[in-house]
């Protein structure tokens, strides 16, 4: 698959730079995990990619096009961000929140057309929230709200998905169902996803590639399906001191535990 997202020498931060000189590329169909300790710059990286920070430099290209020259709406057609925390929208029904996902394409104050309604219906189905469409968003549980936000990102229809801890409020089955759904969305190779995760076992299970972040710098890269156990152990053990990676003999799956 061709390169979908290319990041060249990205610096991003606030008063000072936090993310330092990151360069990487993500191909169509790829599910790339970002791992790093609290405060290592994962959320800042995603904000920097979507031009959500004033203090940034470097290039972000989507399908070869430099995003710096684009308006925020044009960028939102190319990259969809699920922030780590999304404010609730009191008074909005789930259906309306999902319809907002089409804003980059349709602009404000347009009644949803049949295409939007179909995209909303499909995303609600995919993320298991079809039964919640007419509920007030503010009256949902945290996990239900997270599923709504994930469905909104899918409705946005951008080829690059940037998801910051997308499973932080999801229960165990919903977490795996979310990864199955995401893998399905990526299967055609027309999208790619960069996903911030805290659970290394989950990252090893679902991501084709992992980027390891330490103090805003890229300190390693792993391909779980191709990298040997010792290399995985040494890279993840460096990031998370005391972490032990084990392999199940029958399935070959990797598991993690703390010493
Ligand atoms: P977590 O796993 O806790 O979500 P993270 O890897 O996403 O952490 P960031 O939120 O990117 O970390 O924060 C990286 C650094 O930037 C931290 O030192 C943090 O204190 C700082 N930082 C984050 N947000 C701001 C802000 N709005 N203003 C100033 N500094 C910030
Ligand atoms: Mg964060």
């Amino acid at each position: 698959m061709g390169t979908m997202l290319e990041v060249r020498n990205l610096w991003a931060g606030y008063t000072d730079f936090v993310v330092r000189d990151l360069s990487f590329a993500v191909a169509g169909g790829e599910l790339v995990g970002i791992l790093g300790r609290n405060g290592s710059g994962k959320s800042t990286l995603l904000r920097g990619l979507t031009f959500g920070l004033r203090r940034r430099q470097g290039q972000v290209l989507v399908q070869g096009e430099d995003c710096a020259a684009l308006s925020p709406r044009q960028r939102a057609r190319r990259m969809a961000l699920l922030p780590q925390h999304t404010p609730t929208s009191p008074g909005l029904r789930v259906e309306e929140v999902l319809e907002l996902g089409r804003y980059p394409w349709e602009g404000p104050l347009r009644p949803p057309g049949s295409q939007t309604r179909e995209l909303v219906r499909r995303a609600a189905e995919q993320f298991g929230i079809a039964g919640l469409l007419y509920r007030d968003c503010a009256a949902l549980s945290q996990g239900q709200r997270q599923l709504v936000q994930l469905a909104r990102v899918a409705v946005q229809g951008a080829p690059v998905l940037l998801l910051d801890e997308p499973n932080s409020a999801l229960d165990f089955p919903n977490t795996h169902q979310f990864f199955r759904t995401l893998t399905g969305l990526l299967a055609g190779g027309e999208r790619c996803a960069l996903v911030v995760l805290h659970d290394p076992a989950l990252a090893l299970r679902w991501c084709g590639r992992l980027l390891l972040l330490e103090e805003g710098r890229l300190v390693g890269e792993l391909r779980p399906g191709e990298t040997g156990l010792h290399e995985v152990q040494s890279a993840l053990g460096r990031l998370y001191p005391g972490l032990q990676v084990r392999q199940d003999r029958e399935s070959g799956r990797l598991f993690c535990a703390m010493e």
Side-chain angles (χ1 to χ4, degrees), residues 2-173:
T3 299
M4 186 73 75
L5 171 70
E6 192 179 350
V7 180
R8 294 183 188 156
N9 308 104
L10 181 73
W11 293 72
Y14 310 90
T15 321
D16 298 318
F17 282 119
V18 168
V19 162
R20 295 150 198 274
D21 201 19
L22 292 201
S23 296
F24 58 90
V26 183
E30 259 199 303
L31 171 43
V32 175
I34 302 172
L35 295 181
R37 301 290 304 271
N38 292 133
S40 58
K42 305 177 299 294
S43 299
T44 306
L45 164 61
L46 297 196
R47 283 187 215 122
L49 289 176
T50 50
F51 293 69
L53 294 169
R54 286 234 179 109
R55 194 154 175 77
R56 65 174 302 291
Q57 59 189 52
Q59 273 184 306
V60 179
L61 296 95
V62 175
Q63 292 166 316
E65 186 180 23
D66 191 340
C67 291
L70 303 176
S71 69
R73 252 180 84 185
Q74 288 171 323
R75 269 183 222 130
R77 294 178 193 174
R78 290 155 178 85
M79 295 186 277
L81 172 68
L82 174 81
Q84 191 168 347
H85 300 290
T86 34
T88 44
S89 328
L92 281 188
R93 281 179 288 133
V94 168
E95 182 188 42
E96 292 167 318
V97 171
L98 299 193
E99 285 164 6
L100 285 174
R102 295 307 288 171
Y103 171 80
W105 303 91
E106 299 186 0
L109 306 174
R110 286 260 195 91
S114 59
Q115 193 200 2
T116 294
R117 282 202 298 273
E118 174 54 21
L119 287 168
V120 165
R121 191 201 60 74
R122 201 187 313 154
E125 198 73 42
Q126 285 168 328
F127 287 90
I129 53 165
L132 302 179
L133 276 175
Y134 307 109
R135 293 269 302 271
D136 181 342
C137 255
L140 298 179
S141 77
Q142 289 300 324
Q144 288 171 328
R145 283 181 205 180
Q146 196 159 36
L147 290 168
V148 170
Q149 291 303 326
L150 286 164
R152 180 190 57 74
V153 163
V155 166
Q156 193 170 326
V160 176
L161 306 179
L162 305 170
L163 311 178
D164 200 346
E165 302 190 32
N167 63 313
S168 59
L170 301 186
D171 65 32
F172 197 62

Side-chain angles (χ1 to χ4, degrees), residues 165-233:
E165 302 190 32
N167 63 313
S168 59
L170 301 186
D171 65 32
F172 197 62
N174 272 344
T175 293
H176 285 274
Q177 184 52 43
F178 152 69
F179 276 105
R180 258 178 238 115
T181 303
L182 179 61
T183 304
L185 290 177
L186 301 176
E190 286 163 9
R191 298 178 185 203
C192 67
L194 209 50
V195 184
V196 171
L197 295 169
H198 275 305
D199 181 343
L202 206 57
L204 290 168
R205 163 83 172 82
W206 288 102
C207 299
R209 187 153 58 101
L210 303 179
L211 302 180
L212 311 182
L213 209 61
E214 221 173 70
E215 296 182 0
R217 289 189 188 276
L218 210 50
V219 293
E221 191 173 321
L222 283 178
R223 289 179 186 272
E226 300 167 24
T227 315
L229 178 60
H230 290 296
E231 213 180 312
V232 173
Q233 169 69 64

Side-chain angles (χ1 to χ4, degrees), residues 224-245:
E226 300 167 24
T227 315
L229 178 60
H230 290 296
E231 213 180 312
V232 173
Q233 169 69 64
S234 120
L236 291 185
R238 174 181 163 179
L239 209 60
Y240 306 117
L243 185 88
Q244 297 293 320
V245 185

